[in-house]
Amino acid sequence: MKNDNDETNKTGKTKHACCQAKDTGQSAPPAESETKNLADSSPKTAEHHLIVDGASCASCVTKIEKALRILKGVHSAEMNFAQRTVMVVGNVPDSTLISAIEIAGYNAKIDTSESEKQALDEKDEADAQYYKKLIRDMSIALLLGVPLMIYGLTIGEMTVNTNIERLGWFAVGLATLGVMIFSGKHFYIGAWNSFKNHSANMDTLIALGTGTAWLYSMVVVAVPELLPEMARHVYFEATAMIIGLINLGVALEVKARGKTSEAIKRLIGLQSKTARVIRDGKDIDIPFENVLLNDLVRVRPGEKISVDGMVTEGHTAVVESMLTGEPMPVEKTEGDKVVAGTINKSGSIVFKATRVGKDTALAQIINMVKRAQNSKPPIGRLADIIAAYFVPVIMIIAVLSALAWLNFGPAPSIAFAIVSATTVLIIACPCALGLATPMSVMVGVGKAAEAGVLIRNGEALQTASKITTMILDKTGTITEGAPKVTDVLLANKLTQEEVLMLAASIEAGSEHPLAMAIVESAKEQGIEPQKVTGFASIAGQGVAAALDNSALLFGNEKLMTERGINIAAFLDKAQAFAEEAKTPMYFAVNGELAAVIAVADPIKSDSINAIKRLQNNGIRIVMLTGDNRLTAKAIAEKVGISEYVAEVMPEDKAKKVAELQKEGEIVGMTGDGINDAPALAHANVGFAIGTGTDVAIESADITLMRGSLHGLADAIAISQATLTNIKQNLFGAFIYNIAGVPIAAGVLYPFFGVLLSPVIAGAAMAFSSLTVVTNANRLRFFKAKEH
Amino acid sequence: MLWINLAGVGLIVLIVWWFWIYKSPSIALQEGVIEVIVKDGVYQPSKIKIRANEATTITFNRVDPSPCSETLLIPDLEINATLTLNKKVSVEIPASLPGRYPFHCQMKMYAGELVVE
């Protein structure tokens, strides 16, 4: 069995297939301490999933299962012969299981494939439990913090002057310690672990802030005589409130984060659970994972297509909008491709599975979106650099602030020093800074996927938002890419049938869309092409070949002129064709012009609108085509493009990209991803435009799943919206910290007599990262305007 | 007051030294299965030494429920991976040139370093 993960789990960025990350599907040892509640739900004995190589018959199954079952610690071993996988339940290391299978005469490795759905369900479950835990922690902390705060604000002074007060506050201090241990333990453990590693994080700040407030308060309670009377204030309410509020903030963040991955959940949800395969003449329902290559799969109206394949029987319309964004159902008949995740609308079909498991287009799309969601655009780099130094810098600021209050502050300076240091530590929020970019990328990339736009990574996303010039290839991008013969002008004694037969014969070897139009036209008239000899393709000009001693030449004016064919009498007519946006081609037999054939490629119905959208967005549009100047001009005028370059050889497209880049333009290039590959690679952002799900999704920075140029306009609009969102987030996070930290340190005190309370700092901090996630979530409601 | 100020300055020096200047003693080259546990706000171990020009697999075992720990990034090697809670996730490190390659979560709150020698 092929190891699909080589493809599906590649990680990293652009076209760099260097590494993989895969889930081994193994249950890890449960966590101790605070994650215990989660661990309790994990199995006592682990499930091991292995892929076996070399098992060719049913008897191998028994042999392998037996080899595993005799191992000590193995509870059960079951092999799925169709998938060549084994599931072992027991407490045995993977290496032992693999050795046992190898001794039995087969090869085995850990099965890294886990159903996306399963992983997602587990993640949702874990998030839900974590949320519950955080809410419980928060409730307990606030149960102490809120009454204390109300007491402080309304009834009494939180000071220690009498022995009764000492005793009372001592009890409160112990209760606060209980809250710190029960609800805030993870902060202190995390801070200590980080500290040991010479690093500091969010936990460090929270632990230091709350720890300082509590310790100071306990000193006040234990030895009040050490401090001036005015400074005998306790801050237990601050400690409890901060712990409660931060837990609440994290809990709400967990919820909000769940929404950011809605797009990927939707994609994963597209996968049907079962497939009806025809085996031994019978229809049987099996899990979609068990469908093998070349299996015949039956799909009834209204059912989902489970794997990729080619229709072998029947006729239907398939809704592909969930993958391509194309709202119209696509007609499918024998020989057409169908893809997993789409819905069979009308007829019943049978198709042959051509791509299964992690090879399906849907699986690849899910993988690409996941990878892109985790990647960072360059705009996030500054925040990354800052995040690395942030916490120690805040600690230094807290120390400096305390020193400043001690040296220059009014009495009781020690209390002011403690409050300001605690507030500085608590208000600073590296999380908001760190979350600003990835959260927006996550939502933006997902949103794009919903519109049938696959963005390779954060860098492509960012560059796409800055594009100033967009190059559009004509054939297949602006036009349908399915040209049709419109006119055949005979030039000598050959009949139309003869001309079409010969022309179709020579063009049958060419893959050019115009050539295919000739072949199609001949076939429509019942004319079968003959086999030619000596076929030669002359780049940018046409083709030459021989058939029954006749020398055939098919191509443009340049080819005819170079080969000395007299076409003078037909130049005017050819020009007239071109002015009607038709492409005239010359066909010569034995050195004599036989016909002028005009082919027209209809403009896609929505190209004009989509191009207008791009132009309204301030983007300069340039059309490139290998077609002749007059045809190019006619098409360009029809779609409202004023700049075009005609008669461009494929290799010159990349040169044109470079030329525009030299002018200082940020160039996007849109093409079919195959013929335009060099130009796509040269452009700042390459857009591969597909026709449905057939498109090669690995070929460009951004892949447009549907053929419409609206996909391109959507891609740019979404990337711009995402970048705006990132900028808002970064601005907000920077301003929050830049303004919050000095205010917490007390810069406003000399002017307005204001010093922030640590509780307000805790609330601000808890909600700053929530604000970032919520703002990123706003992108989910982004709607690209089609007109 | 002088002593308090001196203690404060000392504390700042200590912070600078502990978090930025201090270089941890050299760690032993790790062979065989390398497992990193993501727990309680840190990667354990956070420093991993591997051989240069040899592909290596590191298994990340995330038991920390904090959503921050979910994403692992090794930017210099263009690796990103999603660490599923309570699952072992293998991350394949390609044969790399000698050097130091930091790895971290999206917010750099969990941080570690891959030392390739």
Side-chain angles (χ1 to χ4, degrees), chain A residues 11-12 16 19-24 28-29 34-35 122-123 126 190 193 195 198-199 201-202 371 374 376 407 438, chain B residues 1 5 18-19 22 40 61 63 65 70 78-82 84-92 106-109:
Chain A
T11 53
H16 189 100
C19 33
Q20 320 169 12
K22 48 201 176 187
D23 198 322
T24 62
E34 80 281 2
T35 57
E122 280 173 16
K123 180 184 152 32
N193 283 335
F195 180 77
H198 294 265
S199 66
N201 59 23
M202 203 55 225
R371 261 154 45 200
N374 279 343
K376 261 188 195 172
N407 283 292
Chain B
M1 206 54 225
N5 284 331
W18 186 260
F19 293 108
Y22 177 85
D40 296 334
N61 181 1
V63 290
E70 191 180 22
E78 298 179 342
I79 293 176
N80 69 46
T82 303
T84 316
L85 186 64
N86 291 329
K87 294 273 171 177
K88 289 180 180 176
V89 175
S90 299
V91 175
E92 299 207 351
Q106 275 183 328
M107 295 187 281
K108 286 200 167 171
M109 294 294 103

Short mmCIF file of all heavy atoms in Angstrom, two decimals, chain A residues 11-12 16 19-24 28-29 34-35 122-123 126 190 193 195 198-199 201-202 371 374 376 407 438, chain B residues 1 5 18-19 22 40 61 63 65 70 78-82 84-92 106-109:
data_model
loop_
_atom_site.label_atom_id
_atom_site.label_comp_id
_atom_site.label_asym_id
_atom_site.label_seq_id
_atom_site.Cartn_x
_atom_site.Cartn_y
_atom_site.Cartn_z
N THR A 11 4.51 19.42 4.94
CA THR A 11 4.27 20.67 5.63
C THR A 11 5.17 21.72 5.02
O THR A 11 5.99 21.44 4.17
CB THR A 11 4.60 20.52 7.11
OG1 THR A 11 5.90 20.02 7.21
CG2 THR A 11 3.63 19.62 7.80
N GLY A 12 5.02 22.92 5.52
CA GLY A 12 5.91 23.95 5.06
C GLY A 12 5.29 24.75 3.96
O GLY A 12 4.12 24.66 3.67
N HIS A 16 7.71 23.40 -1.41
CA HIS A 16 8.87 22.91 -0.70
C HIS A 16 8.46 21.67 0.05
O HIS A 16 7.95 21.72 1.15
CB HIS A 16 9.35 24.01 0.26
CG HIS A 16 10.68 23.70 0.88
ND1 HIS A 16 11.83 24.25 0.42
CD2 HIS A 16 11.03 22.89 1.89
CE1 HIS A 16 12.84 23.80 1.16
NE2 HIS A 16 12.36 22.97 2.07
N CYS A 19 9.24 18.23 4.28
CA CYS A 19 9.00 17.67 5.58
C CYS A 19 7.56 17.24 5.77
O CYS A 19 6.69 17.66 5.05
CB CYS A 19 9.34 18.71 6.61
SG CYS A 19 8.98 20.33 6.00
N GLN A 20 7.36 16.44 6.76
CA GLN A 20 6.01 15.96 6.99
C GLN A 20 5.69 16.02 8.47
O GLN A 20 6.54 15.96 9.31
CB GLN A 20 5.87 14.48 6.60
CG GLN A 20 6.58 14.10 5.39
CD GLN A 20 6.58 12.60 5.27
OE1 GLN A 20 5.87 11.90 5.95
NE2 GLN A 20 7.38 12.10 4.39
N ALA A 21 4.44 16.10 8.72
CA ALA A 21 3.99 15.97 10.10
C ALA A 21 2.82 15.04 10.07
O ALA A 21 1.93 15.17 9.26
CB ALA A 21 3.55 17.32 10.61
N LYS A 22 2.85 14.05 10.87
CA LYS A 22 1.72 13.14 10.81
C LYS A 22 1.34 12.63 12.18
O LYS A 22 2.14 12.50 13.08
CB LYS A 22 2.04 12.00 9.86
CG LYS A 22 3.37 11.37 10.08
CD LYS A 22 3.79 10.65 8.83
CE LYS A 22 5.19 10.09 8.98
NZ LYS A 22 5.74 9.54 7.81
N ASP A 23 0.08 12.39 12.26
CA ASP A 23 -0.49 11.90 13.49
C ASP A 23 -0.36 10.39 13.49
O ASP A 23 -0.79 9.72 12.57
CB ASP A 23 -1.97 12.31 13.48
CG ASP A 23 -2.54 12.23 14.84
OD1 ASP A 23 -2.16 11.29 15.54
OD2 ASP A 23 -3.35 13.09 15.19
N THR A 24 0.28 9.88 14.48
CA THR A 24 0.49 8.44 14.46
C THR A 24 -0.73 7.67 14.92
O THR A 24 -0.74 6.46 14.93
CB THR A 24 1.66 8.06 15.38
OG1 THR A 24 1.30 8.43 16.69
CG2 THR A 24 2.94 8.71 14.98
N ALA A 28 -1.57 8.91 23.45
CA ALA A 28 -0.40 9.20 24.23
C ALA A 28 -0.69 8.93 25.69
O ALA A 28 -1.84 8.86 26.10
CB ALA A 28 -0.07 10.67 24.04
N PRO A 29 0.37 8.79 26.49
CA PRO A 29 0.11 8.59 27.90
C PRO A 29 -0.66 9.78 28.45
O PRO A 29 -0.38 10.90 28.07
CB PRO A 29 1.52 8.55 28.52
CG PRO A 29 2.47 8.57 27.42
CD PRO A 29 1.75 8.85 26.16
N GLU A 34 -3.36 18.85 35.92
CA GLU A 34 -4.66 19.43 35.59
C GLU A 34 -5.31 18.83 34.37
O GLU A 34 -6.47 19.09 34.11
CB GLU A 34 -4.52 20.94 35.44
CG GLU A 34 -3.97 21.40 34.11
CD GLU A 34 -2.48 21.28 34.03
OE1 GLU A 34 -1.86 20.79 35.00
OE2 GLU A 34 -1.93 21.67 33.01
N THR A 35 -4.61 18.07 33.57
CA THR A 35 -5.23 17.50 32.39
C THR A 35 -5.84 16.14 32.69
O THR A 35 -6.27 15.44 31.81
CB THR A 35 -4.22 17.36 31.25
OG1 THR A 35 -3.16 16.56 31.73
CG2 THR A 35 -3.70 18.69 30.78
N GLU A 122 -12.28 14.62 17.93
CA GLU A 122 -11.49 14.53 19.16
C GLU A 122 -11.07 15.91 19.63
O GLU A 122 -11.06 16.22 20.81
CB GLU A 122 -10.27 13.64 18.93
CG GLU A 122 -10.62 12.17 19.00
CD GLU A 122 -9.48 11.27 18.61
OE1 GLU A 122 -8.32 11.74 18.59
OE2 GLU A 122 -9.74 10.09 18.32
N LYS A 123 -10.71 16.75 18.67
CA LYS A 123 -10.27 18.10 19.01
C LYS A 123 -11.44 18.88 19.63
O LYS A 123 -11.26 19.56 20.64
CB LYS A 123 -9.76 18.82 17.75
CG LYS A 123 -9.28 20.23 18.02
CD LYS A 123 -8.89 20.90 16.74
CE LYS A 123 -9.06 22.40 16.76
NZ LYS A 123 -8.87 23.10 17.98
N ALA A 126 -11.95 17.65 23.09
CA ALA A 126 -10.91 18.13 24.00
C ALA A 126 -11.12 19.61 24.30
O ALA A 126 -10.99 20.05 25.45
CB ALA A 126 -9.54 17.91 23.37
N GLY A 190 3.43 26.37 34.49
CA GLY A 190 3.93 26.81 33.18
C GLY A 190 5.06 27.83 33.34
O GLY A 190 6.08 27.77 32.66
N ASN A 193 8.22 26.04 34.64
CA ASN A 193 8.84 25.24 33.58
C ASN A 193 9.56 26.13 32.57
O ASN A 193 10.66 25.82 32.13
CB ASN A 193 7.78 24.40 32.86
CG ASN A 193 7.37 23.20 33.68
OD1 ASN A 193 8.14 22.74 34.53
ND2 ASN A 193 6.17 22.72 33.46
N PHE A 195 10.71 29.13 33.11
CA PHE A 195 11.83 29.76 33.78
C PHE A 195 13.03 28.81 33.77
O PHE A 195 14.16 29.21 33.47
CB PHE A 195 11.44 30.13 35.21
CG PHE A 195 12.54 30.78 35.98
CD1 PHE A 195 12.86 32.11 35.76
CD2 PHE A 195 13.27 30.06 36.93
CE1 PHE A 195 13.90 32.71 36.46
CE2 PHE A 195 14.31 30.66 37.64
CZ PHE A 195 14.62 31.99 37.40
N HIS A 198 14.98 28.88 30.72
CA HIS A 198 15.47 30.21 30.37
C HIS A 198 14.57 30.90 29.35
O HIS A 198 15.02 31.63 28.48
CB HIS A 198 16.90 30.15 29.81
CG HIS A 198 17.88 29.69 30.85
ND1 HIS A 198 18.60 30.56 31.62
CD2 HIS A 198 18.23 28.45 31.25
CE1 HIS A 198 19.37 29.87 32.46
NE2 HIS A 198 19.15 28.58 32.25
N SER A 199 13.31 30.61 29.42
CA SER A 199 12.39 31.35 28.55
C SER A 199 11.23 31.86 29.42
O SER A 199 11.09 31.45 30.57
CB SER A 199 11.88 30.45 27.42
OG SER A 199 11.10 29.41 27.95
N ASN A 201 7.01 33.26 29.27
CA ASN A 201 5.79 33.37 28.45
C ASN A 201 4.68 34.05 29.24
O ASN A 201 4.90 34.61 30.30
CB ASN A 201 5.38 31.98 27.93
CG ASN A 201 5.12 30.99 29.06
OD1 ASN A 201 4.82 31.39 30.17
ND2 ASN A 201 5.22 29.72 28.76
N MET A 202 3.51 33.96 28.66
CA MET A 202 2.33 34.56 29.26
C MET A 202 2.16 34.13 30.73
O MET A 202 1.87 34.95 31.60
CB MET A 202 1.17 33.96 28.44
CG MET A 202 -0.08 34.71 28.43
SD MET A 202 0.19 36.33 27.91
CE MET A 202 -0.79 37.03 29.18
N ARG A 371 -2.45 23.55 5.80
CA ARG A 371 -1.06 24.03 5.78
C ARG A 371 -1.01 25.54 5.66
O ARG A 371 -0.26 26.22 6.35
CB ARG A 371 -0.32 23.41 4.60
CG ARG A 371 0.52 22.23 5.02
CD ARG A 371 0.76 21.25 3.91
NE ARG A 371 1.13 21.86 2.65
CZ ARG A 371 1.00 21.25 1.48
NH1 ARG A 371 0.52 20.04 1.43
NH2 ARG A 371 1.37 21.84 0.38
N ASN A 374 -1.84 27.54 8.76
CA ASN A 374 -0.79 27.60 9.78
C ASN A 374 0.39 28.46 9.37
O ASN A 374 1.28 28.69 10.17
CB ASN A 374 -0.28 26.20 10.09
CG ASN A 374 -1.18 25.45 11.03
OD1 ASN A 374 -2.01 26.05 11.70
ND2 ASN A 374 -1.02 24.15 11.09
N LYS A 376 2.54 31.78 8.03
CA LYS A 376 2.46 33.19 8.39
C LYS A 376 2.89 34.09 7.25
O LYS A 376 3.92 33.87 6.65
CB LYS A 376 3.38 33.44 9.58
CG LYS A 376 2.63 33.47 10.87
CD LYS A 376 3.52 33.92 11.98
CE LYS A 376 2.85 33.58 13.29
NZ LYS A 376 3.71 33.81 14.41
N ASN A 407 11.34 55.53 44.55
CA ASN A 407 12.23 56.69 44.65
C ASN A 407 11.47 58.01 44.64
O ASN A 407 11.81 58.93 45.35
CB ASN A 407 13.24 56.68 43.50
CG ASN A 407 14.35 55.67 43.75
OD1 ASN A 407 15.16 55.85 44.66
ND2 ASN A 407 14.36 54.59 42.98
N PRO A 438 -1.91 35.07 12.85
CA PRO A 438 -2.40 33.72 12.53
C PRO A 438 -3.92 33.56 12.55
O PRO A 438 -4.46 32.82 11.74
CB PRO A 438 -1.76 32.83 13.59
CG PRO A 438 -1.02 33.68 14.50
CD PRO A 438 -0.94 35.03 13.95
N MET B 1 17.49 53.12 50.80
CA MET B 1 16.97 53.27 49.43
C MET B 1 18.00 52.83 48.39
O MET B 1 17.67 52.24 47.36
CB MET B 1 16.60 54.76 49.21
CG MET B 1 15.54 54.98 48.17
SD MET B 1 14.04 54.03 48.46
CE MET B 1 13.76 53.42 46.85
N ASN B 5 17.53 50.22 45.37
CA ASN B 5 17.83 50.51 43.97
C ASN B 5 18.85 49.53 43.40
O ASN B 5 18.71 49.06 42.27
CB ASN B 5 18.35 51.94 43.82
CG ASN B 5 17.21 52.94 43.92
OD1 ASN B 5 16.06 52.62 43.57
ND2 ASN B 5 17.50 54.12 44.43
N TRP B 18 19.58 35.83 32.54
CA TRP B 18 18.86 34.55 32.55
C TRP B 18 18.13 34.27 31.24
O TRP B 18 18.16 33.17 30.72
CB TRP B 18 17.86 34.53 33.72
CG TRP B 18 17.19 33.21 33.90
CD1 TRP B 18 15.95 32.86 33.48
CD2 TRP B 18 17.72 32.05 34.54
NE1 TRP B 18 15.67 31.55 33.81
CE2 TRP B 18 16.75 31.03 34.47
CE3 TRP B 18 18.94 31.77 35.17
CZ2 TRP B 18 16.94 29.76 34.99
CZ3 TRP B 18 19.13 30.51 35.70
CH2 TRP B 18 18.16 29.52 35.61
N PHE B 19 17.50 35.31 30.71
CA PHE B 19 16.67 35.07 29.53
C PHE B 19 17.39 35.28 28.20
O PHE B 19 17.00 34.72 27.19
CB PHE B 19 15.40 35.93 29.57
CG PHE B 19 14.46 35.54 30.67
CD1 PHE B 19 14.31 36.34 31.79
CD2 PHE B 19 13.75 34.34 30.60
CE1 PHE B 19 13.44 35.97 32.82
CE2 PHE B 19 12.89 33.96 31.63
CZ PHE B 19 12.74 34.77 32.74
N TYR B 22 22.45 33.96 28.93
CA TYR B 22 22.80 32.60 29.35
C TYR B 22 22.74 31.61 28.18
O TYR B 22 21.77 31.58 27.42
CB TYR B 22 21.83 32.14 30.44
CG TYR B 22 22.05 30.71 30.89
CD1 TYR B 22 22.98 30.41 31.87
CD2 TYR B 22 21.32 29.66 30.32
CE1 TYR B 22 23.18 29.10 32.28
CE2 TYR B 22 21.52 28.36 30.72
CZ TYR B 22 22.45 28.08 31.71
OH TYR B 22 22.66 26.79 32.09
N ASP B 40 2.37 21.59 30.26
CA ASP B 40 2.52 22.67 31.22
C ASP B 40 3.28 23.87 30.65
O ASP B 40 4.21 24.38 31.29
CB ASP B 40 3.23 22.16 32.48
CG ASP B 40 2.40 21.11 33.21
OD1 ASP B 40 1.17 21.15 33.07
OD2 ASP B 40 3.00 20.27 33.89
N ASN B 61 4.37 14.83 21.55
CA ASN B 61 3.26 14.26 22.31
C ASN B 61 2.62 15.40 23.11
O ASN B 61 3.16 15.83 24.13
CB ASN B 61 3.83 13.17 23.22
CG ASN B 61 2.75 12.50 24.03
OD1 ASN B 61 1.58 12.82 23.91
ND2 ASN B 61 3.16 11.57 24.87
N VAL B 63 0.15 16.96 25.55
CA VAL B 63 -0.83 16.67 26.59
C VAL B 63 -1.32 17.96 27.23
O VAL B 63 -2.08 17.94 28.18
CB VAL B 63 -0.26 15.71 27.67
CG1 VAL B 63 -0.06 14.33 27.11
CG2 VAL B 63 1.02 16.25 28.25
N PRO B 65 -3.63 21.03 27.18
CA PRO B 65 -4.87 21.36 26.46
C PRO B 65 -4.94 22.79 25.94
O PRO B 65 -5.85 23.12 25.19
CB PRO B 65 -5.95 21.11 27.52
CG PRO B 65 -5.27 21.33 28.81
CD PRO B 65 -3.83 20.94 28.64
N GLU B 70 -1.22 24.08 20.11
CA GLU B 70 -1.69 23.21 19.03
C GLU B 70 -0.82 23.27 17.76
O GLU B 70 -0.65 22.28 17.06
CB GLU B 70 -3.13 23.60 18.67
CG GLU B 70 -3.78 22.60 17.74
CD GLU B 70 -5.20 22.99 17.39
OE1 GLU B 70 -5.56 24.17 17.50
OE2 GLU B 70 -5.95 22.09 17.00
N GLU B 78 10.76 25.56 7.23
CA GLU B 78 9.45 25.67 6.57
C GLU B 78 8.52 24.53 6.99
O GLU B 78 7.83 23.93 6.17
CB GLU B 78 9.62 25.69 5.05
CG GLU B 78 10.41 26.90 4.60
CD GLU B 78 10.62 26.94 3.11
OE1 GLU B 78 10.47 25.91 2.46
OE2 GLU B 78 10.93 28.03 2.61
N ILE B 79 8.54 24.22 8.27
CA ILE B 79 7.67 23.16 8.77
C ILE B 79 6.57 23.77 9.62
O ILE B 79 6.83 24.65 10.44
CB ILE B 79 8.48 22.18 9.66
CG1 ILE B 79 9.50 21.42 8.80
CG2 ILE B 79 7.55 21.20 10.37
CD1 ILE B 79 10.41 20.50 9.59
N ASN B 80 5.35 23.33 9.38
CA ASN B 80 4.33 23.61 10.37
C ASN B 80 3.50 22.35 10.56
O ASN B 80 3.32 21.57 9.65
CB ASN B 80 3.50 24.84 10.02
CG ASN B 80 2.60 24.68 8.83
OD1 ASN B 80 1.90 23.68 8.69
ND2 ASN B 80 2.61 25.66 7.94
N ALA B 81 3.08 22.13 11.78
CA ALA B 81 2.32 20.91 12.06
C ALA B 81 1.27 21.19 13.11
O ALA B 81 1.43 22.08 13.95
CB ALA B 81 3.28 19.83 12.58
N THR B 82 0.20 20.47 13.02
CA THR B 82 -0.86 20.59 14.03
C THR B 82 -0.69 19.46 15.03
O THR B 82 -0.65 18.29 14.65
CB THR B 82 -2.24 20.51 13.36
OG1 THR B 82 -2.29 21.54 12.38
CG2 THR B 82 -3.35 20.70 14.37
N THR B 84 -2.13 17.27 17.71
CA THR B 84 -3.43 16.87 18.25
C THR B 84 -3.25 16.50 19.72
O THR B 84 -2.28 15.84 20.08
CB THR B 84 -3.95 15.64 17.47
OG1 THR B 84 -3.73 15.89 16.09
CG2 THR B 84 -5.43 15.43 17.70
N LEU B 85 -4.22 16.91 20.53
CA LEU B 85 -4.13 16.64 21.96
C LEU B 85 -4.16 15.14 22.24
O LEU B 85 -4.94 14.41 21.63
CB LEU B 85 -5.30 17.33 22.66
CG LEU B 85 -5.29 17.28 24.19
CD1 LEU B 85 -4.09 18.01 24.76
CD2 LEU B 85 -6.58 17.85 24.76
N ASN B 86 -3.30 14.73 23.13
CA ASN B 86 -3.20 13.33 23.55
C ASN B 86 -2.91 12.36 22.41
O ASN B 86 -3.33 11.21 22.42
CB ASN B 86 -4.47 12.88 24.28
CG ASN B 86 -4.61 13.55 25.62
OD1 ASN B 86 -3.59 13.86 26.25
ND2 ASN B 86 -5.82 13.81 26.05
N LYS B 87 -2.21 12.85 21.39
CA LYS B 87 -1.80 11.99 20.28
C LYS B 87 -0.32 12.25 20.04
O LYS B 87 0.18 13.33 20.31
CB LYS B 87 -2.55 12.37 19.00
CG LYS B 87 -4.02 12.11 19.05
CD LYS B 87 -4.32 10.71 18.63
CE LYS B 87 -5.77 10.40 18.89
NZ LYS B 87 -6.15 9.09 18.45
N LYS B 88 0.33 11.23 19.49
CA LYS B 88 1.72 11.45 19.11
C LYS B 88 1.75 11.88 17.65
O LYS B 88 1.16 11.23 16.80
CB LYS B 88 2.52 10.18 19.29
CG LYS B 88 2.73 9.82 20.74
CD LYS B 88 3.52 8.56 20.87
CE LYS B 88 3.73 8.21 22.34
NZ LYS B 88 4.43 6.94 22.49
N VAL B 89 2.40 12.99 17.39
CA VAL B 89 2.49 13.48 16.02
C VAL B 89 3.96 13.46 15.60
O VAL B 89 4.81 14.06 16.26
CB VAL B 89 1.91 14.90 15.90
CG1 VAL B 89 2.10 15.45 14.50
CG2 VAL B 89 0.43 14.90 16.26
N SER B 90 4.25 12.72 14.54
CA SER B 90 5.64 12.65 14.07
C SER B 90 5.91 13.81 13.14
O SER B 90 5.16 14.05 12.21
CB SER B 90 5.87 11.35 13.31
OG SER B 90 5.64 10.28 14.15
N VAL B 91 6.99 14.50 13.39
CA VAL B 91 7.40 15.58 12.51
C VAL B 91 8.73 15.18 11.90
O VAL B 91 9.68 14.88 12.62
CB VAL B 91 7.52 16.91 13.29
CG1 VAL B 91 8.07 18.00 12.40
CG2 VAL B 91 6.18 17.31 13.86
N GLU B 92 8.77 15.11 10.59
CA GLU B 92 10.01 14.68 9.94
C GLU B 92 10.88 15.89 9.65
O GLU B 92 10.47 16.82 8.96
CB GLU B 92 9.67 13.90 8.68
CG GLU B 92 8.85 12.68 9.06
CD GLU B 92 9.00 11.53 8.10
OE1 GLU B 92 9.62 11.72 7.04
OE2 GLU B 92 8.50 10.45 8.44
N GLN B 106 2.56 29.32 17.65
CA GLN B 106 2.30 30.50 16.83
C GLN B 106 2.62 31.80 17.54
O GLN B 106 2.92 32.79 16.92
CB GLN B 106 0.83 30.51 16.40
CG GLN B 106 0.62 29.68 15.15
CD GLN B 106 -0.80 29.75 14.69
OE1 GLN B 106 -1.71 29.88 15.48
NE2 GLN B 106 -1.01 29.65 13.40
N MET B 107 2.54 31.78 18.86
CA MET B 107 2.74 33.02 19.59
C MET B 107 4.11 33.10 20.26
O MET B 107 4.37 34.02 21.01
CB MET B 107 1.64 33.17 20.64
CG MET B 107 0.29 33.31 20.00
SD MET B 107 -0.93 33.67 21.23
CE MET B 107 -1.22 32.08 21.91
N LYS B 108 4.93 32.11 19.98
CA LYS B 108 6.28 32.04 20.56
C LYS B 108 6.26 31.96 22.08
O LYS B 108 7.21 32.37 22.75
CB LYS B 108 7.13 33.23 20.10
CG LYS B 108 7.57 33.10 18.66
CD LYS B 108 8.76 33.98 18.40
CE LYS B 108 9.38 33.61 17.07
NZ LYS B 108 10.39 34.55 16.64
N MET B 109 5.17 31.49 22.64
CA MET B 109 5.10 31.34 24.09
C MET B 109 5.68 29.98 24.49
O MET B 109 6.22 29.81 25.56
CB MET B 109 3.65 31.46 24.58
CG MET B 109 3.04 32.83 24.40
SD MET B 109 3.81 34.11 25.40
CE MET B 109 4.83 34.96 24.22
#
